Amino acid sequence: MGNGSATEDGGLLAGRGPESLGTGAGLGVPGAAALVGGVLLIGLVLAGNSLVCVSVASERTLQTPTNYFIVSLAAADLLLAVLVLPLFVYSEVQGGVWLLSPRLCDTLMAMDVMLCTASIFNLCAISVDRFVAVTVPLRYNQQGQCQLLLIAATWLLSAAVAAPVVCGLNDVPGRDPAVCCLENRDYVVYSSVCSFFLPCPLMLLLYWATFRGLRRWEAARHTKLHSRAPRRPSGPGPPVSDPTQGPFFPDCPPPLPSLRTSPSDSSRPESDLSQRPCSSGCLLADAALPQPPAPSSRRRGAKITGRERKAMRVLPVVVGVFLVCWTPFFVVHITRALCPACFVSPRLVSAVTWLGYVNSALNPIIYTVFNAEFRSVFRKTLRLRC
Protein backbone atom coordinates (compact mmCIF):
# COMPACT_ATOMS: atom_id res chain seq x y z
CA MET A 1 0.00 0.00 0.00
CA GLY A 2 1.14 3.60 -0.41
CA ASN A 3 3.64 4.13 2.24
CA GLY A 4 4.40 7.63 3.24
CA SER A 5 2.70 10.98 3.41
CA ALA A 6 5.52 13.35 2.59
CA THR A 7 9.22 13.30 1.91
CA GLU A 8 10.19 14.82 5.24
CA ASP A 9 8.21 12.18 7.10
CA GLY A 10 9.85 9.26 5.37
CA GLY A 11 8.10 6.51 3.47
CA LEU A 12 6.76 3.16 4.49
CA LEU A 13 8.13 1.40 1.47
CA ALA A 14 11.82 2.22 1.22
CA GLY A 15 10.97 5.59 2.68
CA ARG A 16 13.57 5.85 5.44
CA GLY A 17 16.84 7.57 4.84
CA PRO A 18 20.13 6.24 6.20
CA GLU A 19 20.11 8.85 8.93
CA SER A 20 16.89 7.44 10.38
CA LEU A 21 18.15 3.86 10.68
CA GLY A 22 21.84 4.45 10.83
CA THR A 23 22.62 1.54 8.51
CA GLY A 24 23.61 3.31 5.33
CA ALA A 25 23.36 1.34 2.16
CA GLY A 26 25.46 -1.59 3.34
CA LEU A 27 24.18 -5.09 4.05
CA GLY A 28 24.32 -5.24 7.86
CA VAL A 29 22.48 -7.54 10.21
CA PRO A 30 19.07 -5.84 9.62
CA GLY A 31 19.65 -6.00 5.87
CA ALA A 32 20.56 -9.68 5.99
CA ALA A 33 17.49 -10.42 8.11
CA ALA A 34 15.32 -8.50 5.63
CA LEU A 35 16.82 -10.44 2.73
CA VAL A 36 16.24 -13.86 4.32
CA GLY A 37 12.76 -12.96 5.53
CA GLY A 38 11.83 -11.46 2.19
CA VAL A 39 12.96 -14.48 0.19
CA LEU A 40 11.02 -16.81 2.50
CA LEU A 41 7.92 -14.62 2.34
CA ILE A 42 8.00 -14.39 -1.46
CA GLY A 43 8.47 -18.15 -1.73
CA LEU A 44 5.54 -18.89 0.60
CA VAL A 45 3.23 -16.44 -1.18
CA LEU A 46 4.08 -17.84 -4.61
CA ALA A 47 3.83 -21.49 -3.59
CA GLY A 48 0.65 -21.24 -1.51
CA ASN A 49 -1.40 -19.04 -3.81
CA SER A 50 -0.26 -20.91 -6.93
CA LEU A 51 -1.49 -24.10 -5.26
CA VAL A 52 -4.87 -22.46 -4.65
CA CYS A 53 -5.23 -21.43 -8.30
CA VAL A 54 -4.09 -24.80 -9.67
CA SER A 55 -6.38 -26.72 -7.30
CA VAL A 56 -9.48 -24.74 -8.23
CA ALA A 57 -8.66 -24.94 -11.95
CA SER A 58 -8.08 -28.72 -11.91
CA GLU A 59 -10.77 -29.91 -9.46
CA ARG A 60 -14.41 -29.57 -10.47
CA THR A 61 -15.66 -29.83 -6.89
CA LEU A 62 -13.84 -26.59 -6.07
CA GLN A 63 -15.21 -24.67 -9.07
CA THR A 64 -17.89 -22.80 -7.15
CA PRO A 65 -18.76 -19.08 -7.28
CA THR A 66 -17.22 -18.48 -3.86
CA ASN A 67 -13.95 -20.10 -4.89
CA TYR A 68 -13.79 -17.86 -7.96
CA PHE A 69 -13.48 -14.95 -5.54
CA ILE A 70 -10.83 -16.87 -3.62
CA VAL A 71 -8.87 -17.35 -6.86
CA SER A 72 -9.14 -13.61 -7.52
CA LEU A 73 -7.80 -12.93 -4.03
CA ALA A 74 -4.96 -15.40 -4.64
CA ALA A 75 -4.17 -13.66 -7.93
CA ALA A 76 -3.81 -10.33 -6.09
CA ASP A 77 -1.40 -11.98 -3.65
CA LEU A 78 0.59 -13.53 -6.50
CA LEU A 79 0.94 -10.18 -8.26
CA LEU A 80 2.02 -8.64 -4.97
CA ALA A 81 4.75 -11.27 -4.62
CA VAL A 82 5.96 -10.68 -8.19
CA LEU A 83 5.61 -6.90 -8.62
CA VAL A 84 5.86 -5.35 -5.14
CA LEU A 85 7.64 -7.59 -2.65
CA PRO A 86 10.98 -7.90 -4.51
CA LEU A 87 11.41 -4.12 -4.63
CA PHE A 88 10.22 -3.76 -1.05
CA VAL A 89 12.76 -6.34 0.13
CA TYR A 90 15.46 -4.65 -1.95
CA SER A 91 14.77 -1.31 -0.29
CA GLU A 92 14.77 -2.92 3.16
CA VAL A 93 18.13 -4.52 2.44
CA GLN A 94 19.46 -1.08 1.47
CA GLY A 95 18.42 0.33 4.83
CA GLY A 96 15.40 2.17 3.47
CA VAL A 97 17.20 4.16 0.79
CA TRP A 98 15.62 4.21 -2.67
CA LEU A 99 18.42 3.83 -5.24
CA LEU A 100 16.27 3.29 -8.33
CA SER A 101 14.46 5.76 -10.57
CA PRO A 102 11.57 7.90 -9.30
CA ARG A 103 9.37 6.62 -12.14
CA LEU A 104 9.87 3.05 -10.93
CA CYS A 105 8.99 4.23 -7.44
CA ASP A 106 5.71 5.69 -8.70
CA THR A 107 4.89 2.44 -10.50
CA LEU A 108 5.67 0.53 -7.33
CA MET A 109 3.43 2.79 -5.25
CA ALA A 110 0.58 2.44 -7.74
CA MET A 111 0.85 -1.36 -7.83
CA ASP A 112 1.02 -1.50 -4.05
CA VAL A 113 -2.14 0.62 -3.69
CA MET A 114 -4.01 -1.31 -6.40
CA LEU A 115 -3.20 -4.81 -5.14
CA CYS A 116 -3.96 -4.04 -1.51
CA THR A 117 -7.23 -2.41 -2.59
CA ALA A 118 -8.03 -5.41 -4.79
CA SER A 119 -7.57 -7.74 -1.81
CA ILE A 120 -10.01 -5.86 0.41
CA PHE A 121 -12.48 -5.36 -2.47
CA ASN A 122 -12.40 -9.09 -3.21
CA LEU A 123 -13.19 -9.80 0.42
CA CYS A 124 -16.09 -7.35 0.19
CA ALA A 125 -17.29 -9.06 -2.98
CA ILE A 126 -17.22 -12.40 -1.15
CA SER A 127 -19.33 -10.92 1.64
CA VAL A 128 -21.85 -9.65 -0.93
CA ASP A 129 -21.90 -13.06 -2.59
CA ARG A 130 -22.50 -14.84 0.75
CA PHE A 131 -25.24 -12.38 1.71
CA VAL A 132 -27.11 -12.94 -1.56
CA ALA A 133 -26.63 -16.71 -1.38
CA VAL A 134 -28.15 -16.93 2.10
CA THR A 135 -30.92 -14.34 1.84
CA VAL A 136 -32.19 -15.05 -1.70
CA PRO A 137 -30.84 -18.52 -2.65
CA LEU A 138 -33.19 -19.01 -5.62
CA ARG A 139 -32.09 -15.79 -7.26
CA TYR A 140 -28.47 -16.61 -6.39
CA ASN A 141 -28.70 -19.92 -8.25
CA GLN A 142 -29.97 -18.08 -11.35
CA GLN A 143 -27.28 -15.39 -11.41
CA GLY A 144 -25.03 -17.08 -13.96
CA GLN A 145 -22.09 -14.79 -14.73
CA CYS A 146 -22.80 -12.17 -12.07
CA GLN A 147 -19.89 -13.37 -9.92
CA LEU A 148 -17.42 -12.85 -12.77
CA LEU A 149 -18.79 -9.35 -13.38
CA LEU A 150 -18.41 -8.57 -9.69
CA ILE A 151 -14.79 -9.76 -9.75
CA ALA A 152 -14.08 -7.59 -12.79
CA ALA A 153 -15.65 -4.61 -11.02
CA THR A 154 -13.38 -5.09 -8.00
CA TRP A 155 -10.26 -4.93 -10.16
CA LEU A 156 -11.49 -1.92 -12.15
CA LEU A 157 -12.28 -0.01 -8.96
CA SER A 158 -8.90 -0.94 -7.51
CA ALA A 159 -7.15 0.35 -10.62
CA ALA A 160 -9.17 3.56 -10.42
CA VAL A 161 -8.05 4.16 -6.83
CA ALA A 162 -4.38 3.71 -7.79
CA ALA A 163 -4.52 5.58 -11.11
CA PRO A 164 -3.65 9.08 -9.77
CA VAL A 165 -0.17 7.90 -8.75
CA VAL A 166 0.61 6.70 -12.28
CA CYS A 167 -0.84 9.93 -13.72
CA GLY A 168 1.80 12.08 -12.00
CA LEU A 169 0.40 12.76 -8.52
CA ASN A 170 3.78 11.96 -6.99
CA ASP A 171 5.67 14.44 -9.20
CA VAL A 172 5.98 17.31 -6.72
CA PRO A 173 8.66 20.02 -6.56
CA GLY A 174 11.54 19.31 -4.20
CA ARG A 175 10.98 15.56 -4.17
CA ASP A 176 13.77 13.55 -2.56
CA PRO A 177 14.81 10.80 -5.00
CA ALA A 178 16.27 8.73 -2.16
CA VAL A 179 12.83 8.32 -0.55
CA CYS A 180 10.05 6.27 -2.15
CA CYS A 181 6.67 7.24 -0.73
CA LEU A 182 3.34 8.86 -1.53
CA GLU A 183 3.96 12.59 -1.61
CA ASN A 184 0.38 13.89 -1.42
CA ARG A 185 -1.23 13.80 2.05
CA ASP A 186 -4.74 14.25 0.69
CA TYR A 187 -4.30 11.23 -1.55
CA VAL A 188 -3.02 9.18 1.40
CA VAL A 189 -6.25 9.93 3.28
CA TYR A 190 -8.36 9.32 0.17
CA SER A 191 -6.73 5.96 -0.65
CA SER A 192 -6.86 4.78 2.96
CA VAL A 193 -10.58 5.58 3.24
CA CYS A 194 -11.44 3.99 -0.13
CA SER A 195 -9.24 0.94 0.36
CA PHE A 196 -9.85 0.13 4.02
CA PHE A 197 -11.91 2.37 6.29
CA LEU A 198 -15.05 2.25 4.12
CA PRO A 199 -14.97 -1.36 2.84
CA CYS A 200 -14.22 -2.95 6.20
CA PRO A 201 -17.35 -1.75 8.08
CA LEU A 202 -19.46 -2.61 5.03
CA MET A 203 -17.96 -6.08 4.90
CA LEU A 204 -18.50 -6.71 8.61
CA LEU A 205 -22.10 -5.47 8.38
CA LEU A 206 -22.80 -7.83 5.48
CA TYR A 207 -21.33 -10.77 7.35
CA TRP A 208 -23.41 -9.94 10.40
CA ALA A 209 -26.56 -9.85 8.26
CA THR A 210 -25.52 -13.09 6.55
CA PHE A 211 -24.99 -14.94 9.83
CA ARG A 212 -28.30 -13.62 11.11
CA GLY A 213 -30.16 -14.74 7.99
CA LEU A 214 -28.45 -18.14 8.05
CA ARG A 215 -29.41 -18.65 11.69
CA ARG A 216 -33.03 -17.75 11.00
CA TRP A 217 -33.17 -20.02 7.95
CA GLU A 218 -31.73 -22.96 9.87
CA ALA A 219 -34.12 -22.38 12.78
CA ALA A 220 -37.11 -22.30 10.41
CA ARG A 221 -35.91 -25.43 8.64
CA HIS A 222 -35.41 -27.25 11.95
CA THR A 223 -38.90 -26.27 13.10
CA LYS A 224 -40.42 -27.41 9.81
CA LEU A 225 -38.67 -30.78 9.92
CA HIS A 226 -39.58 -31.24 13.58
CA SER A 227 -43.25 -30.55 12.86
CA ARG A 228 -43.27 -33.23 10.13
CA ALA A 229 -41.80 -35.93 12.39
CA PRO A 230 -44.33 -38.63 13.51
CA ARG A 231 -45.34 -38.29 17.14
CA ARG A 232 -46.02 -41.10 19.59
CA PRO A 233 -49.52 -41.09 21.12
CA SER A 234 -49.60 -39.98 24.73
CA GLY A 235 -51.08 -42.30 27.36
CA PRO A 236 -51.89 -46.02 27.08
CA GLY A 237 -52.61 -47.37 23.67
CA PRO A 238 -51.47 -49.94 21.14
CA PRO A 239 -47.73 -50.39 20.69
CA VAL A 240 -45.89 -48.53 17.94
CA SER A 241 -43.58 -50.37 15.61
CA ASP A 242 -40.74 -49.13 13.48
CA PRO A 243 -41.38 -45.46 12.48
CA THR A 244 -40.64 -46.27 8.87
CA GLN A 245 -43.52 -48.77 8.83
CA GLY A 246 -46.08 -46.53 10.59
CA PRO A 247 -48.39 -47.39 13.50
CA PHE A 248 -49.04 -51.08 14.23
CA PHE A 249 -52.52 -52.43 14.87
CA PRO A 250 -53.03 -56.06 15.92
CA ASP A 251 -55.91 -56.64 13.50
CA CYS A 252 -54.10 -55.24 10.48
CA PRO A 253 -51.32 -56.65 8.31
CA PRO A 254 -48.47 -54.31 7.35
CA PRO A 255 -49.21 -51.83 4.55
CA LEU A 256 -48.97 -53.22 1.10
CA PRO A 257 -45.92 -52.20 -0.97
CA SER A 258 -48.12 -50.24 -3.38
CA LEU A 259 -48.99 -47.77 -0.62
CA ARG A 260 -45.36 -47.03 0.10
CA THR A 261 -44.06 -46.95 -3.43
CA SER A 262 -46.92 -45.07 -5.13
CA PRO A 263 -48.24 -42.48 -2.66
CA SER A 264 -49.29 -40.17 -5.47
CA ASP A 265 -51.37 -42.75 -7.32
CA SER A 266 -54.99 -42.35 -6.25
CA SER A 267 -56.46 -45.45 -7.92
CA ARG A 268 -54.18 -48.26 -6.82
CA PRO A 269 -54.25 -47.59 -3.06
CA GLU A 270 -58.08 -47.68 -3.06
CA SER A 271 -58.20 -51.05 -4.81
CA ASP A 272 -55.54 -52.43 -2.48
CA LEU A 273 -57.34 -51.16 0.61
CA SER A 274 -60.55 -52.87 -0.47
CA GLN A 275 -58.74 -56.20 -0.53
CA ARG A 276 -57.24 -55.91 2.97
CA PRO A 277 -59.06 -57.65 5.87
CA CYS A 278 -58.83 -54.56 7.99
CA SER A 279 -61.04 -52.53 10.28
CA SER A 280 -61.87 -48.85 9.92
CA GLY A 281 -59.11 -48.04 12.41
CA CYS A 282 -56.56 -49.47 10.00
CA LEU A 283 -57.84 -47.24 7.20
CA LEU A 284 -57.54 -44.17 9.40
CA ALA A 285 -54.08 -45.18 10.50
CA ASP A 286 -52.87 -45.60 6.92
CA ALA A 287 -54.43 -42.31 5.88
CA ALA A 288 -52.66 -40.54 8.75
CA LEU A 289 -49.22 -41.75 7.75
CA PRO A 290 -47.00 -38.71 7.08
CA GLN A 291 -45.98 -38.37 3.49
CA PRO A 292 -42.23 -37.66 3.14
CA PRO A 293 -41.20 -34.72 0.98
CA ALA A 294 -40.03 -35.35 -2.52
CA PRO A 295 -36.39 -36.59 -2.54
CA SER A 296 -35.37 -34.00 -5.12
CA SER A 297 -36.46 -31.03 -2.98
CA ARG A 298 -34.90 -32.49 0.15
CA ARG A 299 -31.66 -33.09 -1.67
CA ARG A 300 -31.65 -29.59 -3.13
CA GLY A 301 -32.10 -27.94 0.25
CA ALA A 302 -29.36 -30.06 1.85
CA LYS A 303 -26.98 -29.18 -0.98
CA ILE A 304 -27.48 -25.45 -0.58
CA THR A 305 -27.14 -25.66 3.19
CA GLY A 306 -23.93 -27.66 3.01
CA ARG A 307 -22.29 -25.28 0.56
CA GLU A 308 -23.16 -22.18 2.55
CA ARG A 309 -22.07 -23.67 5.85
CA LYS A 310 -18.71 -24.75 4.44
CA ALA A 311 -18.13 -21.27 3.02
CA MET A 312 -19.15 -19.58 6.25
CA ARG A 313 -16.64 -21.61 8.24
CA VAL A 314 -13.54 -20.45 6.38
CA LEU A 315 -14.38 -16.95 5.10
CA PRO A 316 -14.77 -15.21 8.48
CA VAL A 317 -11.33 -16.53 9.41
CA VAL A 318 -9.87 -15.08 6.20
CA VAL A 319 -11.50 -11.71 6.91
CA GLY A 320 -10.40 -11.73 10.56
CA VAL A 321 -6.78 -12.48 9.70
CA PHE A 322 -6.81 -9.79 7.02
CA LEU A 323 -8.04 -7.20 9.51
CA VAL A 324 -5.45 -8.23 12.11
CA CYS A 325 -2.64 -7.95 9.58
CA TRP A 326 -3.65 -4.72 7.83
CA THR A 327 -5.37 -2.60 10.50
CA PRO A 328 -2.07 -1.54 12.20
CA PHE A 329 -0.66 -0.49 8.83
CA PHE A 330 -3.62 1.71 7.89
CA VAL A 331 -3.85 3.24 11.36
CA VAL A 332 -0.17 4.23 11.20
CA HIS A 333 -0.54 5.26 7.57
CA ILE A 334 -3.44 7.67 8.07
CA THR A 335 -2.08 8.96 11.40
CA ARG A 336 1.08 10.17 9.69
CA ALA A 337 -0.98 11.88 6.99
CA LEU A 338 -3.37 13.63 9.38
CA CYS A 339 -0.77 14.50 12.00
CA PRO A 340 2.52 15.53 10.35
CA ALA A 341 3.94 16.66 13.70
CA CYS A 342 3.37 13.25 15.31
CA PHE A 343 6.49 11.13 15.56
CA VAL A 344 6.17 7.57 14.32
CA SER A 345 9.19 5.30 14.67
CA PRO A 346 10.57 4.10 11.32
CA ARG A 347 10.93 0.65 12.85
CA LEU A 348 7.22 0.63 13.70
CA VAL A 349 6.43 1.66 10.14
CA SER A 350 8.58 -1.18 8.80
CA ALA A 351 7.04 -3.70 11.20
CA VAL A 352 3.41 -2.93 10.29
CA THR A 353 4.32 -3.05 6.59
CA TRP A 354 5.87 -6.50 6.97
CA LEU A 355 2.81 -7.63 8.94
CA GLY A 356 0.51 -6.53 6.12
CA TYR A 357 2.52 -8.37 3.49
CA VAL A 358 2.64 -11.54 5.61
CA ASN A 359 -1.14 -11.76 5.17
CA SER A 360 -0.61 -12.79 1.54
CA ALA A 361 1.06 -16.01 2.71
CA LEU A 362 -1.55 -16.88 5.35
CA ASN A 363 -4.67 -17.38 3.21
CA PRO A 364 -3.59 -20.75 1.70
CA ILE A 365 -2.75 -21.96 5.22
CA ILE A 366 -6.23 -20.93 6.38
CA TYR A 367 -7.85 -22.86 3.54
CA THR A 368 -5.81 -25.94 4.43
CA VAL A 369 -6.71 -25.82 8.12
CA PHE A 370 -10.38 -24.83 7.97
CA ASN A 371 -11.64 -26.29 4.67
CA ALA A 372 -11.60 -30.08 4.24
CA GLU A 373 -12.23 -29.87 0.49
CA PHE A 374 -9.24 -27.61 -0.10
CA ARG A 375 -7.13 -29.78 2.19
CA SER A 376 -7.86 -33.00 0.29
CA VAL A 377 -7.37 -31.33 -3.11
CA PHE A 378 -4.08 -29.77 -1.95
CA ARG A 379 -2.82 -33.22 -0.96
CA LYS A 380 -3.92 -34.71 -4.25
CA THR A 381 -2.32 -31.88 -6.25
CA LEU A 382 0.95 -32.10 -4.36
CA ARG A 383 1.10 -35.88 -4.89
CA LEU A 384 0.55 -35.44 -8.62
CA ARG A 385 3.21 -32.71 -8.86
CA CYS A 386 5.75 -34.75 -6.89
Side-chain angles (χ1 to χ4, degrees), residues 34 57 79 86 98 135 138 145 190 201 260 286-287 307 323 332 369:
L79 290 175
W98 184 254
T135 54
L138 294 180
Q145 303 298 319
Y190 159 77
R260 292 193 299 269
D286 287 334
R307 186 191 304 126
L323 294 178
V332 171
V369 173

Side-chain angles (χ1 to χ4, degrees), residues 38-64:
V39 171
L40 289 176
L41 179 60
I42 293 173
L44 287 174
V45 174
L46 290 175
N49 290 281
S50 297
L51 184 60
V52 171
C53 296
V54 170
S55 298
V56 175
S58 60
E59 189 68 27
R60 292 187 61 86
T61 59
L62 292 181
Q63 294 174 6
T64 63

Side-chain angles (χ1 to χ4, degrees), residues 33-264:
L35 179 61
V36 173
V39 171
L40 289 176
L41 179 60
I42 293 173
L44 287 174
V45 174
L46 290 175
N49 290 281
S50 297
L51 184 60
V52 171
C53 296
V54 170
S55 298
V56 175
S58 60
E59 189 68 27
R60 292 187 61 86
T61 59
L62 292 181
Q63 294 174 6
T64 63
T66 300
N67 288 343
Y68 295 155
F69 292 101
I70 289 178
V71 169
S72 180
L73 182 62
D77 292 334
L78 285 173
L79 290 175
L80 185 78
V82 173
L83 301 176
V84 175
L85 285 180
L87 292 175
F88 167 73
V89 173
Y90 171 78
S91 68
E92 290 288 294
V93 169
Q94 298 299 324
V97 180
W98 184 254
L99 303 178
L100 304 176
S101 68
R103 180 56 59 185
L104 183 59
C105 171
D106 294 345
T107 304
L108 176 62
M109 290 290 100
M111 294 301 302
D112 198 11
V113 171
M114 187 187 77
L115 295 176
C116 182
T117 306
S119 296
I120 188 65
F121 281 4
N122 273 292
L123 291 175
C124 283
I126 293 175
S127 67
V128 173
D129 178 75
R130 293 298 87 206
F131 177 76
V132 174
V134 171
T135 54
V136 281
L138 294 180
R139 182 176 300 177
Y140 175 81
N141 291 334
Q142 299 171 359
Q143 282 186 88
Q145 303 298 319
C146 288
Q147 287 86 5
L148 297 179
L149 293 177
L150 189 56
I151 291 173
T154 62
W155 284 94
L156 289 176
L157 290 175
S158 302
V161 173
V165 181
V166 180
C167 295
L169 186 71
N170 251 15
D171 294 333
V172 297
R175 176 180 178 179
D176 186 357
V179 177
C180 184
C181 64
L182 293 175
E183 304 288 341
N184 190 296
R185 298 183 191 278
D186 294 334
Y187 178 76
V188 171
V189 176
Y190 159 77
S191 62
S192 298
V193 170
C194 291
S195 302
F196 189 81
F197 290 107
L198 276 182
C200 284
L202 175 63
M203 178 173 56
L204 295 176
L205 180 63
L206 284 173
Y207 270 115
W208 173 80
T210 301
F211 274 110
R212 186 180 179 186
L214 188 61
R215 249 193 326 265
R216 288 181 175 178
W217 187 86
E218 288 181 344
R221 181 174 178 269
H222 176 74
T223 303
K224 188 175 182 180
L225 292 177
H226 182 70
S227 65
R228 289 180 178 179
R231 298 180 180 178
R232 290 178 178 270
S234 58
V240 178
S241 63
D242 185 6
T244 61
Q245 301 296 330
F248 172 78
F249 291 87
D251 299 333
C252 301
L256 293 179
S258 60
L259 282 176
R260 292 193 299 269
T261 56
S262 302
S264 60

